[in-house]
Structure formats: C-alpha cells, structure tokens
Amino acid sequence: PGVRAAFEEDVVVKVRDSMAEGFFGRRRHGKSAGDASQPLVYATVGCGSLYFDYRMVSRLCHEGLSIGTACIIDTVYASGGTECRASQQLADFWPGITLMRFSSLRDYSYACARCEALKCHVFMQCDAADAASEVMQHRAKVCREGALHCELANNGRGGVPSIGDFFRFTGADESFMRA
C-alpha cells in the first residue's frame, strides 16, 4: 500500500509540473505543444477493474487538473464482463469525462492514428508487466509530444520493489527520456 500511495503522489507532482512547465500545451522553446486550455487525455493499460485509475483520476481532478477523456485499455474489455460494468460505473461517477474502452493497445493505437485528439498526455502502466512488450511497441503511437509515461512495476527491478519510473515522449524518432 505504501508503494502505491507514494507512486500516486509522484504522478500528481509530475503531471502538475508538466502542466506548469508547458509540456501539455503551453509554448516551449518557441513552438506550440497544443492548447493549454484543453482537458487532458489520460490513458491506462492493463487497468482491469480500474481501482487504481479511479483513485488516480479522482486525485488529479481534485488537484484542479481537467481530464476530458480517459482511454482504458485491457484485454478484459473484449469479453464484456464485470470489468465493463465497472468501467460504466466509473463513467457514471465522472460525468464530465469521456470514457473509451479498448481491448488492446494496438486497437487504441489504431484509434489514435485516425484521431490525433485521442493521443494521451498521461500514459499509465500500473501492474501491467505482462503488457511491457506491447507498450514498447505502441507507446510512441498513442502519446502526444510531451506526454508522460508513468510505470509502476508489480515485479520490481533487481529484487527491489519499484516505486515507479517516469518517461517523457520527446516526439523525435519515437524516443522517450527519463522524466
């Protein structure tokens, strides 16, 4: 529980700093990165029943950040089971947020190719180690320039539980740098 709480706090700080530093919409280095008045797009992969994401998005909104769209990506959405009902309840709880379900990161990537507005500002990968190769293959296609990729590994690294890693999409050659 302490690891998740620390990671949640780190995400809030990183997103708030990203807004202040202009990564999500203000002019940076003489070029426009988008419209700062537009709500953020939050995407999450391997989200299952959405407990962590419910807390995370609620916290971001509580901090005054505007989330316009939440793209939730998990193979469980292909079956239409309990998780789909959970996502509908979440949509009802967040009336101002458009909730979009995808059964794979590839499907979300295709949607982003058709509609640039779906590309995310915040890309969450919490306890989704099994999706790591798919994430590496598609994250540059679903993140807009300046996006923040937040990863909390459920397997730790080198036997030590990871509090989290943060990467920023540079937009150049599909590369990410540690944020």
Side-chain angles (χ1 to χ4, degrees):
V3 171
R4 285 182 185 277
F7 180 66
E8 181 181 310
E9 184 62 32
D10 287 346
V11 169
V12 169
V13 168
K14 292 277 188 187
V15 171
R16 196 174 37 224
D17 289 351
S18 292
M19 290 291 291
E21 294 169 14
F23 283 107
F24 295 162
R26 295 195 182 93
R27 295 183 68 76
R28 291 184 47 77
H29 309 295
K31 81 178 204 184
S32 176
D35 183 352
S37 66
Q38 293 299 311
L40 299 177
V41 176
Y42 175 94
T44 179
V45 65
C47 48
S49 295
L50 298 163
Y51 177 72
F52 178 80
D53 296 292
Y54 162 76
R55 287 179 45 91
M56 192 74 257
V57 172
S58 296
R59 176 78 190 279
L60 291 170
C61 290
H62 178 75
E63 294 287 328
L65 298 166
S66 175
I67 308 289
T69 304
C71 298
I72 56 176
I73 307 137
D74 199 305
T75 56
V76 298
Y77 298 125
S79 67
T82 303
E83 285 79 7
C84 283
R85 287 191 299 280
S87 69
Q88 185 54 53
Q89 289 173 335
L90 200 56
D92 294 342
F93 186 75
W94 294 329
I97 298 175
T98 301
L99 193 67
M100 302 183 75
R101 287 186 214 101
F102 298 92
S103 60
S104 72
L105 197 46
R106 186 184 69 201
D107 290 345
Y108 177 45
S109 178
Y110 289 150
C112 288
R114 290 188 306 273
C115 179
E116 290 276 321
L118 289 179
K119 287 188 173 188
C120 63
H121 298 91
V122 178
F123 183 65
M124 183 62 63
Q125 181 187 359
C126 181
D127 293 342
D130 55 336
S133 64
E134 189 179 16
V135 166
M136 295 307 288
Q137 181 181 1
H138 292 283
R139 74 179 180 173
K141 298 171 188 166
V142 301
C143 290
R144 57 184 73 208
E145 186 175 349
L148 188 64
H149 173 198
C150 311
E151 178 185 6
L152 178 64
N154 57 358
N155 58 355
R157 296 218 167 91
V160 179
S162 176
I163 289 185
D165 286 324
F166 297 91
F167 306 93
R168 169 110 32 231
F169 183 46
T170 64
D173 301 323
E174 297 187 355
S175 61
F176 285 75
M177 64 180 196
R178 195 166 297 281

